[in-house]
Amino acid sequence: MNEGLIVLVRGIIGFFTLLIFTRMLGKQQVSQLTFFDYVVGITIGSTASTLTTDLTSRAWPHWVGLLTWSILCLILQLITIKSKTAEEFLDGEPTIVITNGKILEQSMKKYRYTIGDLLAQLRDKGVFDLDQVAYAVLEKDGQLSILKKTECDPVTPKDLKLKTSAASTDFEVIYDGSVLPDNLKIINRNERWLMIKLNKQGINDFSQVFLATYNKESGLHIDLYNDHIKEDIK
């Protein structure tokens, strides 16, 4: 058999095998990339790559290796759900690195977390002054969670005792020129209503619309393919 065809077939097998195993392991593998997940991801990905391109060996052993790693990972996930000790051993645990504006150097040294990393993540959270921070926690996946001091929190309508309307979400009703009838049903509208709204803005066809969303509070938002917006290039 032609080598190119063999690679194609094995690539398809590896792709769908990896897809199935990733779905089996759940969203945790993607959303919270801990050190353990990082190692497992690299190993499974490397095995899938070898399954595709290593024509000097049979595909079956590589597939068994993929299955073995995926099953072991699934078993360990189930164990960490039942055992907090196992979870802390495999994934680590959150660590407080700032208390009342003061950096805890020993906690940072324990996890080899540098001052540069800390300051960069603080800036990413919109914090440029350490005195604003009541607590900063380094999470298991390396993200930094921050609790600001109460006097540094922005004022909210609740603080001012102002009445506000209930929060509502957007529903996509046109996506890439195509109407989404299921979402129209959710908001108790139909295509005729939608076209009337479009006509009022000089739009004669759904295909002219890149994205249209409906919000109970703000109404219909329309974004066209051609918005006639000039980009200033300097």
Side-chain angles (χ1 to χ4, degrees), residues 58-78:
R58 294 181 300 166
W60 176 249
H62 299 299
W63 192 88
V64 172
L66 277 175
L67 180 63
T68 302
W69 271 82
S70 298
I71 291 176
L72 287 175
C73 184
L74 182 60
I75 291 173
L76 288 175
Q77 283 183 353
L78 295 175

Side-chain angles (χ1 to χ4, degrees), residues 76 84 122 145 173 186 192-193 207 230:
L76 288 175
K84 182 172 177 58
L122 285 172
S145 299
V173 292
I186 293 175
R192 183 173 178 274
W193 168 85
S207 62
K230 294 182 179 180

Side-chain angles (χ1 to χ4, degrees), residues 102-163:
K102 301 299 182 182
I103 299 175
L104 305 181
E105 296 85 356
Q106 293 303 318
S107 297
M108 293 181 59
K109 187 181 296 184
K110 179 181 177 181
Y111 289 93
R112 295 179 291 280
Y113 186 58
T114 67
I115 295 176
D117 292 333
L118 174 62
L119 295 178
Q121 288 192 291
L122 285 172
R123 291 193 296 270
D124 186 57
K125 299 288 186 180
V127 176
F128 292 82
D129 186 352
L130 287 173
D131 286 332
Q132 296 181 2
V133 182
Y135 289 98
V137 180
L138 183 63
E139 303 292 354
K140 296 184 294 183
D141 60 355
Q143 298 297 314
L144 191 68
S145 299
I146 298 171
L147 176 64
K148 288 186 178 181
K149 295 178 180 178
T150 53
E151 63 268 24
C152 297
D153 282 333
V155 178
T156 65
K158 182 179 179 181
D159 297 328
L160 300 176
K161 297 182 180 179
L162 299 176
K163 291 184 178 180

